[in-house]
Amino acid sequence: AQSVTQLGSHVSVSEGALVLLRCNYSSSVPPYLFWYVQYPNQGLQLLLKYTTGATLVKGINGFEAEFKKSETSFHLTKPSAHMSDAAEYFCAVSELGNYQLIWGAGTKLIIKP
Amino acid sequence: NAGVTQTPKFQVLKTGQSMTLQCAQDMNHEYMSWYRQDPGMGLRLIHYSVGAGITDQGEVPNGYNVSRSTTEDFPLRLLSAAPSQTSVYFCASSPRAENTGELFFGEGSRLTVL
């Protein structure tokens, strides 16, 4: 069965530092890949997605992610963290024609001043 | 533009009580779904619908009931609440029934069962 692993339930970085949130999936078929962000006491919102084409995907708020098929990874990065980036981030995958997303457990990003 | 609206935002129930969480979307989306979110477990799909009159079970459907009589509304019913159903519930919709994963979420309903 398809699964999604997010390495680290909490990641702490200093303001201005690189943000790297890791996501690995298990699939024999290239899936659709997503990152969602959840700010405190809010619903989730789509940050970026990969379906086909260019493997480096840019999203909102300066985030980007790269699909690496050989590594079955879709890590999320941002060159310079901002205090407003503090939130929980979820990686998710789906397969064409499948009605269900498979979710990672989430990574809480903490920004140190 | 309202998007996905969930009510109530907070609810406390006693074990055995029943209640309905309401979800409405004004975007004419075909696909609607209910998730529960528990710490360290990500989101788990309870039920989903690909159109009016069509519903199906997700990963954790036991103890919950849904119906989809209109495109806009997708209520979630707890038949006999149990403490294990204490959670935050999210309704989410997507424009197309085949669901490419682009979900629009409500703000959540926090349920406590005593």
Side-chain angles (χ1 to χ4, degrees), chain A:
Chain A
Q2 179 79 268
S3 66
V4 177
T5 302
Q6 290 184 240
L7 190 62
S9 58
H10 293 77
V11 169
S12 181
V13 302
S14 298
E15 191 174 18
L18 171 72
V19 174
L20 171 60
L21 304 182
R22 299 177 188 274
C23 174
N24 289 88
Y25 64 92
S26 64
S27 175
S28 58
V29 176
Y32 294 167
L33 297 154
F34 306 86
W35 277 99
Y36 280 82
V37 60
Q38 183 181 30
Y39 297 103
N41 299 313
Q42 293 188 25
L44 285 75
Q45 65 181 90
L46 183 65
L47 200 56
L48 51 78
K49 65 175 181 178
Y50 169 80
T51 53
T52 58
T55 56
L56 182 62
V57 180
K58 295 188 185 300
I60 60 173
N61 302 336
F63 283 92
E64 61 183 35
E66 186 171 11
F67 168 54
K68 292 187 175 180
K69 182 179 176 181
S70 61
E71 299 178 7
T72 59
S73 69
F74 191 56
H75 301 331
L76 182 70
T77 60
K78 182 174 180 178
S80 177
H82 192 272
M83 295 300 291
S84 61
D85 295 327
E88 190 157 19
Y89 292 80
F90 293 90
C91 182
V93 304
S94 72
E95 294 175 359
L96 182 62
N98 194 323
Y99 295 130
Q100 298 192 25
L101 278 177
I102 308 300
W103 295 85
T107 298
K108 192 160 289 188
L109 178 62
I110 300 161
I111 311 296
K112 297 179 292 186

Side-chain angles (χ1 to χ4, degrees), chain B residues 20-23 34 65-69 73-77:
Chain B
T20 299
L21 299 177
Q22 301 290 346
C23 175
W34 277 102
N65 215 345
V66 292
S67 60
R68 182 101 179 266
S69 56
D73 299 300
F74 192 46
L76 178 72
R77 297 181 187 85

